[in-house]
Structure formats: C-alpha cells, structure tokens
Amino acid sequence: SEDDERLESVELRGNSRVTASKYAPGALQSVTGRDMDLKYGPDGESLEHVLITGDAVLQLAGQKSASGRQIKATILDIGLAADGSTPVAVIGREAVQLTFQAEQGVGSRTITAMNLDARGEPGKGLTKALFTGAGTPGCADRRTAGPECYVEYREQNAGAGRVAKAGSLEVALKPGMSSIEEANFSQWVRFNEGLLGTVAAHAKYVPDTGTLELSGTEPGTTFTYVINEQIRIDATRIDVTLAGPKMKATGKVSSVLQPPKPTEKKGDTKMPSMLKDDQVVYVAGDD
C-alpha cells in the first residue's frame, strides 16, 4: 500500500504455489499454476482474488479425513469470501476437470468440460456449478461434433461405471462441496451404465438415490429412449431407477422387445406364453 503497511497484491511467475496454513471443509487448501496474480483484502492478509494462468489447480479441503476436491483448468479465476479462504466464485476456461476422489462407500466422480462457472456463498462455499462445451460453430452438428463440444460426467464404483455426455451440465453441490446433490444435463444427453443406454434432451440425475429423469425435445433429439440388449422404450418422459433397472415411462410410449438370442440357454429370457419366442414384439400405450 502507499503507506507500506499492507500487502495489496502479489504477482508470481513460473511454478507458482500458495498453500493455506489452516482451512475448513470446502475451503481453499492450495492453488498452483504457472503464473498467479493475488489480490488481498483491506487487512492486507486475507486473499480476495486469485487469477491463475497455465496448468491451474485449485485444491479444496475435504470433510475431516476425507479426500479434498480438485479443480483443474488452463485458466482459473477465483473469488474468495471475506475470510480469505472460502471460494464463492470460480471461473475455469479450457481443459476443465472437477474431481471427487473415491471415499468410503462412494466411488470417484469426474466432470470434464471446456468451461466452468461456479458460484457459492460465505459459510457454505461453492453451491452450484455450470459446465459447458466449446460452443463453437463446429459444435452445431452433433453428428460430427468433437469431444470439446461436450461435458462428460464419469462415475466409477466397485464393478460398475456410469458415463454421461451432454452439451451442458449444471450441478447442485452440498455444503462444503462435500458431494454432488443433483446433476441436470441438457442438450443431447447420453447416459450409459453397462449395457443400459439412454438418449434425451434433458436428464436429471440424483447420485444418492441412483435415479434418472429423462424428458424434453430439441432439434436433433425429438424423442427420449432407454435401451439395453433386451428392450428399447421410447416415451415423452422416462423415470429410471438404475438399480434393477426399473423404468416408468409416460406419454406416447412405444417399446420393442427383442427375442432371446440363439446362444442363450432356455429359461434365461422368457416371453409371455401368448407371444412367439423367435419374434420381435412391439407394444404401444400411454404409460
């Protein structure tokens, strides 16, 4: 400052790092990157703003002994609350990746995208985050769009994995960024778990309950469907409980049931007695 009593800003160039000595769950634990601009609050001690350019990494503290959360990007712009440690705004550009490490009873979760815009509030930290693809003219045609046009959500549990891709993803975060409360996908959503696949314009996923709500239409995605090796179901809306799986479809429902494969043993797949075992079955209804 002009009176040489307070630190107002610091510019770090090359292999920059700032590490917090004390931190609460969801607060800034460390930031690293190539170049870093730091702005301090009126007290000259509390960080107010951090801009990282090149290989930016924001490490957030976890709950008690749990692993923290990590946000990577080419550029990270971080706004902090008055305490100097709680992120209340994070903007990420290019090669964005948010990682939740595996914990007791919960698998790892990773979100990759081109852009991140996250917001929060003092005392809670980040509460919501919007991930989007590149949004360039080359992304308009989904048949030829590259991976940079999409957000990818990947969840890995013991013996199972869930992968979703969409043009954008908005997540609601639990306090302290302890977990993902709800994930809302938009723009040509594809959600897969093993042999189960879905396509929809919109999808709401709740990780704690393992439920998926599929709905909506948009140019290029005028229907919603769920498919596996046995059946395809099209409808206006489909609610899926992934454990099972179980499905509830409503509105212009149509389904195609495939006959048992020749390689399957008798009894593995059984058609109702009124239907022939070697014929495809088509069914339509309201729900």
Side-chain angles (χ1 to χ4, degrees):
S1 59
E2 291 185 0
D3 58 7
D4 295 331
E5 294 294 329
R6 298 181 311 281
L7 191 62
E8 292 184 343
S9 64
V10 174
E11 294 182 359
L12 304 174
R13 296 295 180 262
N15 298 318
S16 307
R17 171 182 291 273
V18 174
T19 304
S21 56
K22 296 181 181 179
Y23 40 80
L28 184 151
Q29 184 173 343
S30 67
V31 286
T32 60
R34 188 188 69 222
D35 301 329
M36 196 178 300
D37 294 345
L38 310 176
K39 181 181 178 182
Y40 287 83
D43 61 1
E45 297 181 2
S46 301
L47 272 176
E48 191 174 79
H49 180 256
V50 180
L51 175 63
I52 313 170
T53 305
D55 302 320
V57 179
L58 166 61
Q59 185 72 38
L60 299 172
Q63 299 281 346
K64 297 182 180 179
S65 60
S67 301
R69 315 309 182 204
Q70 188 181 79
I71 302 175
K72 293 182 178 181
T74 301
I75 299 173
L76 280 177
D77 191 325
I78 306 164
L80 299 165
D83 61 7
S85 63
T86 304
V88 291
V90 175
I91 297 172
R93 294 294 180 262
E94 299 181 15
V96 175
Q97 179 174 300
L98 167 62
T99 302
F100 290 78
Q101 298 291 345
E103 298 173 1
Q104 185 70 30
V106 180
S108 63
R109 294 166 183 167
T110 304
I111 300 172
T112 56
M114 285 296 290
N115 304 297
L116 162 66
D117 292 273
R119 294 290 181 268
E121 56 186 275
K124 291 185 178 180
L126 299 175
T127 56
K128 60 182 178 180
L130 175 64
F131 298 86
T132 56
T136 58
C139 296
D141 188 346
R142 298 200 174 114
R143 295 169 297 179
T144 59
E148 72 280 1
C149 300
Y150 297 102
V151 178
E152 180 179 276
Y153 172 93
R154 188 173 293 271
E155 183 179 311
Q156 188 65 46
N157 295 306
R162 294 170 181 169
V163 180
K165 293 183 179 181
S168 67
L169 164 60
E170 185 170 6
V171 297
L173 300 164
K174 295 182 180 180
M177 206 173 174
S178 58
S179 186
I180 295 174
E181 187 170 25
E182 183 179 294
N184 288 280
F185 300 86
S186 299
Q187 303 171 26
W188 200 38
V189 184
R190 291 153 291 166
F191 195 103
N192 296 87
E193 182 180 41
L195 297 175
L196 178 72
T198 75
V199 172
H202 307 288
K204 174 183 173 183
Y205 173 53
V206 182
D208 287 352
T209 59
T211 55
L212 192 61
E213 296 178 7
L214 308 170
S215 63
T217 61
E218 61 183 350
T221 309
T222 56
F223 50 83
T224 296
Y225 72 80
V226 176
I227 188 170
N228 64 12
E229 75 279 16
Q230 294 177 321
I231 190 171
R232 168 170 168 158
I233 299 174
D234 293 66
T236 302
R237 169 172 169 159
I238 305 176
D239 295 336
V240 184
T241 301
L242 293 166
K246 301 175 183 178
M247 282 172 277
K248 170 67 175 176
T250 56
K252 299 180 180 178
V253 180
S254 65
S255 64
V256 180
L257 183 63
Q258 298 294 333
K261 298 178 182 178
T263 56
E264 290 180 338
K265 296 179 182 179
K266 186 176 181 181
D268 285 352
T269 303
K270 185 178 180 181
M271 288 288 198
S273 58
M274 66 180 290
L275 306 174
K276 294 183 178 181
D277 282 345
D278 60 350
Q279 298 293 315
V280 176
V281 179
Y282 301 90
V283 184
D286 291 327
D287 61 84

